[in-house]
């Protein structure tokens, strides 16, 4: 397990760098010739021989599939017209046919390069309202085709390739308005080569949301070439069958994607809606598994939304674009409201009055789905009406790399941490080991009040400690009571006693907090003027610095409330109450 790299030493002290003790993990099996094989494979892909195979049997016809109807950002489009692309928090010059091609620019942010090569910014150019935009887009598509016709690990990355194929196809009609008569032939030739490589790449196996994006791209391009013969008909049927089988497993029974990440819930639902739309434009019906997945996913996207319309911050999420969330939900066609619980994934939702509590009461994602998973088991977030109060720290793709890593730590979540150690170990290669398994949750309602009783064993192997958290929300939503207990397994004594625990409540940056009642309580004031008070017993209470990465492109300072104590051999319990202040 790893220690949090930005932690609280004592209440009131600032965040400081920590150390990283780990448990001994069994070595991963490796092949002695693995690097040699990978080197040969890359050489082969970059070779002229492989490039020749991509041009085999190019189609002669093209059918524009479901023109893009997602809104673009006119401001980004106008900036691109002036020669600069703003993407993922970075800006860079983009000039077609220049001596400084941007497609593999050294020194540029990798996320910016991915966004540039993905061509999703075509919709920004399209919506900027300038007649010159289509002509610029055509020149950039041609420039990419001329310079990047041969495979490279940067510009032909699988997820980037999939996004580019879909963007090109959906904007073809718009591109054609400013293109010369030879453009369609150049466009189809380049697109066919990219399709060939993507189809081969899918044979090597993709997991999670990347697989959905790749299947979507292959469906789009096969639909575009469908009129050119039975070859594409067979390929389309195979891909639809594979996607249908995949989403049946990948979208859990409760409607949440296997990575358990709100931002991927949004992205994958949007992908599936696009597939349904593209098939509809070709007068085809989507497989029932895809339609069922859309119906299951939409209510769970609503489940993740706070009162302000943004997403809860679990497993690498940020608040996201409220307008886009509204649009995705509208286009899903589902009007089903958010459920109170997601049984397969373990998330729970308490709502009363104007208060909303969302908690992660499930096991972390399994191997292969845990590449961005956070060690935030039993963490919760709370909003009051349209304002966020208690949050997790969150993260976004363009955040500094170290911060993205640190935000996965247990200490970056509103839950309890024992001995400054993550409840699930985050390994150097990004996956989870020794995860908090055996997560148990029980729920009950009583006269409008709601109870949650949860526990996990993430600290059992190290210290013999079980973390149990109880939450109670009053019927009017004005009182949230909590109890965090640290005991031995099945009534036994703690095997490694006197370890420090910290129960954390990260506050949204808009919340102003002050110590009160001689340091026995914390008063919180929201922008609306509403107030909340937190009191606790069984631990010392204090305020410390924190960081909020819930808004894309911004790293904001904020505060956290910390309850600090020790776990003796017989165990320890800390009780706390979060109460709305009237007047």
């Amino acid at each position: 397990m790893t220690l949090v790299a930005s932690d609280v030493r004592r209440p009131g002290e600032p965040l400081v760098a920590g150390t990283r003790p780990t448990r001994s993990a069994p070595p991963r099996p490796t092949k002695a010739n693995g690097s040699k094989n990978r080197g040969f494979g890359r050489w082969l892909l970059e070779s002229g021989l492989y490039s020749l195979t991509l041009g085999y049997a190019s189609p002669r016809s093209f059918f524009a599939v479901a023109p893009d109807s997602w809104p673009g950002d006119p401001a980004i489009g106008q900036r691109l017209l002036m020669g600069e692309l703003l993407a993922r928090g970075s800006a860079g010059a983009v000039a077609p046919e220049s001596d400084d091609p941007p497609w593999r620019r050294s020194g540029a942010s990798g996320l910016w390069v991915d966004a540039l090569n993905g061509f999703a910014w075509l919709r920004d150019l399209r919506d900027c309202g300038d007649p010159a935009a289509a002509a610029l887009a055509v020149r950039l598509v041609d420039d990419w085709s001329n310079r990047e016709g041969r495979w490279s690990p940067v510009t032909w990355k699988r997820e980037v390739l999939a996004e580019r194929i879909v963007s090109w196809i959906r904007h073809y009609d718009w591109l054609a308005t400013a293109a010369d008569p030879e453009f369609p032939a150049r466009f189809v030739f380049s697109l066919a080569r990219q399709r060939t490589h993507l189809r081969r790449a899918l044979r090597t196996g993709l997991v999670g949301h990347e697989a959905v994006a790749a299947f979507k791209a292959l469906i789009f391009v096969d639909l575009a070439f469908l009129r050119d013969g039975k070859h594409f008909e067979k390929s389309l049927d195979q891909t639809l069958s594979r996607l249908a089988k995949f989403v049946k497993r990948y979208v859990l029974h409760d409607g949440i994607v296997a990575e358990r990440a709100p931002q991927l819930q949004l992205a994958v639902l949007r992908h599936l809606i696009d597939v349904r739309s593209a098939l509809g434009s070709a007068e085809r019906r989507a497989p029932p598994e895809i339609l069922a997945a859309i119906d299951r996913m939409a209510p769970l996207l609503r489940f993740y939304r706070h009162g302000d319309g943004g997403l809860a911050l679990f497993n690498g999420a940020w608040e996201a674009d409220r307008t886009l969330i509204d649009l995705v939900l509208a286009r899903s066609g589902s009007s089903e409201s958010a459920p109170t619980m997601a049984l397969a994934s373990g998330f729970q939702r308490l709502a009363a009055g104007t208060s909303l509590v969302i908690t992660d009461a499930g096991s972390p994602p399994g191997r292969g789905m845990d590449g961005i998973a956070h060690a935030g088991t039993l963490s919760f977030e709370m909003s009051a009406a349209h304002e966020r109060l208690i949050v997790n720290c969150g993260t976004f793709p363009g955040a500094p790399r170290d911060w993205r890593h640190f935000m996965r730590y247990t200490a970056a979540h509103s839950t309890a941490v024992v001995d400054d150690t993550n409840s699930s170990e985050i390994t150097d290669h990004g996956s989870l080991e020794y995860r908090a398994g055996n997560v148990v949750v029980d729920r009950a309602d009583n006269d409008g009040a709601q109870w949650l009783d949860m526990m996990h064993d993430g600290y059992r192997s190290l210290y013999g400690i079980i973390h149990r958290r109880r939450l109670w929300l009053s019927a009017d939503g004005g009182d949230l009571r909590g109890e965090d207990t640290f005991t031995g397994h099945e009534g036994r004594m703690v095997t490694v006693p006197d370890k420090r625990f910290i129960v954390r409540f990260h506050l949204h940056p808009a919340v102003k907090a002050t110590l009160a009642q001689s340091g026995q309580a914390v008063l919180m004031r929201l922008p609306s003027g509403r107030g909340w008070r937190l009191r606790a017993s069984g631990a010392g209470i204090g305020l410390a610095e924190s960081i909020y990465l819930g808004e894309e492109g911004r790293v904001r300072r904020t505060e956290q409330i910390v309850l600090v104590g020790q776990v003796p051999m017989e165990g320890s319990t800390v009780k706390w109450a979060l109460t709305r202040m009237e007047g």
Side-chain angles (χ1 to χ4, degrees):
M1 279 219 175
T2 55
L3 286 187
V4 67
S6 301
D7 204 353
V8 178
R9 301 182 65 184
R10 291 291 183 269
E13 291 185 1
L15 294 169
V16 295
T19 56
R20 298 184 61 204
T22 59
R23 314 184 202 198
S24 298
R28 291 182 172 273
T30 58
K31 295 182 179 180
N33 62 344
S35 297
K36 184 177 180 180
N37 288 340
R38 285 193 297 271
F40 175 77
R42 177 166 172 171
W43 171 85
L44 182 61
L45 288 171
E46 291 178 326
S47 69
L49 178 62
Y50 183 75
S51 183
L52 287 174
T53 69
L54 294 178
Y56 174 74
S58 294
R60 296 176 297 278
S61 63
F62 179 82
F63 170 68
V65 177
D68 185 79
S69 58
W70 299 105
D73 187 331
I76 293 178
Q78 286 289 346
R79 194 164 176 172
L80 190 51
L81 275 171
M82 293 186 287
E84 186 178 56
L85 174 66
L86 176 64
R88 295 301 191 192
S90 298
V94 178
E97 303 153 5
S98 71
D99 294 331
D100 181 26
W103 311 110
R104 282 187 264 178
R105 182 172 292 153
S106 61
S109 159
L111 289 171
W112 181 87
V113 172
D114 287 350
L116 176 67
N117 282 279
F119 279 80
W121 44 262
L122 283 174
R123 66 172 60 97
D124 302 322
L125 270 179
R126 179 201 64 201
D127 288 355
C128 75
D130 194 307
L136 173 61
V138 169
R139 295 205 311 274
L140 287 167
V141 168
D142 274 339
D143 190 67
W144 189 94
S145 298
N146 291 334
R147 297 181 189 272
E148 302 299 332
R150 182 177 291 188
W151 181 92
S152 88
V154 175
T155 61
W156 288 63
K157 191 184 300 183
R158 289 186 295 192
E159 59 270 28
V160 174
L161 172 61
E163 184 177 40
R164 180 169 59 246
I165 286 174
V166 171
S167 296
W168 280 20
I169 291 172
R170 300 197 80 167
H171 288 88
Y172 175 78
D173 284 344
W174 176 66
L175 291 168
T177 63
D180 60 83
E182 286 75 32
F183 176 75
R186 300 193 302 272
F187 180 89
V188 168
F189 178 75
S190 179
L191 193 61
R193 291 168 59 82
Q194 295 176 65
R195 173 201 174 273
T196 300
H197 179 72
L198 179 62
R199 186 164 176 80
R200 292 170 180 171
L202 275 169
R203 296 173 188 164
T204 62
L206 288 171
V207 297
H209 65 286
E210 291 182 358
V212 177
F215 284 132
K216 166 186 165 181
L218 201 54
I219 289 167
F220 267 61
V221 73
D222 282 347
L223 282 170
F225 295 154
L226 197 57
R227 295 180 179 178
D228 205 51
K230 293 182 179 180
H231 169 72
F232 297 103
E233 181 85 38
K234 181 179 179 181
S235 173
L236 174 63
D237 289 342
Q238 290 175 343
T239 306
L240 283 171
S241 177
R242 291 180 66 186
L243 176 59
K245 292 177 182 177
F246 181 82
V247 298
K248 192 173 181 179
R249 301 189 310 271
Y250 172 66
V251 180
L252 305 179
H253 293 305
D254 58 19
I256 284 181
V257 297
E259 290 102 333
R260 305 176 73 250
Q263 79 281 4
L264 297 183
Q265 187 82 10
L266 174 63
V268 171
L269 179 56
R270 185 177 173 183
H271 286 324
L272 296 181
I273 291 170
D274 281 345
V275 169
R276 185 183 65 183
S277 175
L279 290 168
S281 73
E283 299 181 348
R284 286 172 168 260
R285 181 173 172 81
E289 294 88 348
I290 294 175
L291 299 177
I294 292 172
D295 289 341
R296 293 204 312 277
M297 292 180 70
L300 273 298
L301 181 58
R302 292 188 177 96
F303 176 97
Y304 280 131
R305 300 187 83 177
H306 274 293
D308 62 2
L311 298 176
L313 310 184
F314 297 101
N315 292 318
W318 58 100
E319 294 178 13
D321 184 338
R322 277 79 165 162
T323 301
L324 177 61
I325 299 172
D326 287 339
L327 190 56
V328 169
L329 286 171
R331 293 185 179 175
S332 73
S334 170
S335 58
E336 186 178 338
S337 59
T340 58
M341 66 185 79
L343 290 176
S345 56
F347 285 101
Q348 296 283 335
R349 199 173 193 261
L350 306 177
T354 60
S355 296
L356 173 63
V357 175
I358 306 174
T359 186
D360 181 354
S363 299
R367 189 175 300 280
M369 298 291 173
D370 56 355
I372 61 170
H374 287 202
T377 306
L378 303 195
S379 64
F380 80 96
E381 294 198 326
M382 180 178 183
S383 57
H386 60 280
E387 299 173 299
R388 298 189 187 220
L389 180 60
I390 307 298
V391 297
N392 295 316
C393 291
T395 190
F396 58 90
R401 182 176 179 180
D402 286 347
W403 279 117
R404 294 201 308 273
H405 184 66
F406 298 154
M407 294 305 99
R408 299 179 67 187
Y409 290 4
T410 305
H413 298 76
S414 293
T415 187
V417 183
V418 176
D419 195 33
D420 299 332
T421 304
N422 289 330
S423 58
S424 295
E425 182 178 2
I426 302 168
T427 65
D428 291 338
H429 47 79
S431 63
L432 300 182
E433 295 283 0
Y434 303 105
R435 64 196 69 220
N438 299 318
V439 183
V440 179
V441 59
D442 188 23
R443 182 180 182 127
D445 296 329
N446 183 15
D447 294 330
Q450 301 164 71
W451 289 84
L452 284 178
D453 190 349
M454 309 165 285
M455 62 181 177
H456 76 77
D457 65 352
Y459 296 114
R460 179 185 173 189
S461 63
L462 282 175
Y463 312 120
I465 291 176
I466 301 297
H467 174 209
R468 182 179 185 183
R469 165 165 277 186
R470 294 176 176 178
L471 297 178
W472 175 86
L473 182 65
S474 65
D476 66 355
D479 194 0
L480 177 67
R481 304 287 178 94
E483 181 180 282
D484 286 285
T485 303
F486 309 91
T487 58
H489 179 60
E490 294 182 346
R492 301 187 185 99
M493 294 291 184
V494 170
T495 56
V496 184
D498 299 324
K499 293 299 180 181
R500 184 180 64 154
F501 69 80
I502 303 178
V503 180
R504 301 174 187 272
F505 304 85
H506 294 275
L507 303 178
H508 188 271
V511 177
K512 305 302 180 186
T514 56
L515 284 170
Q517 299 176 2
S518 301
Q520 299 304 304
V522 175
L523 302 182
M524 291 155 280
R525 184 70 60 185
L526 279 68
S528 64
R530 296 185 181 93
W532 288 77
R533 176 177 61 191
L534 188 139
R535 294 170 295 165
S537 63
I541 188 170
L543 286 172
E545 296 177 357
S546 184
I547 294 291
Y548 187 71
L549 277 70
E551 300 169 11
E552 188 170 14
R554 300 181 69 186
V555 177
R556 301 180 65 184
R557 290 187 177 274
T558 186
E559 292 183 291
Q560 59 178 309
I561 302 170
V562 291
L563 310 179
V564 183
Q566 286 188 313
V567 184
M569 188 173 294
E570 63 272 16
S572 180
T573 297
V574 54
K575 298 181 179 181
W576 49 268
L578 189 59
T579 309
R580 185 169 56 214
M581 299 171 61
E582 301 301 334

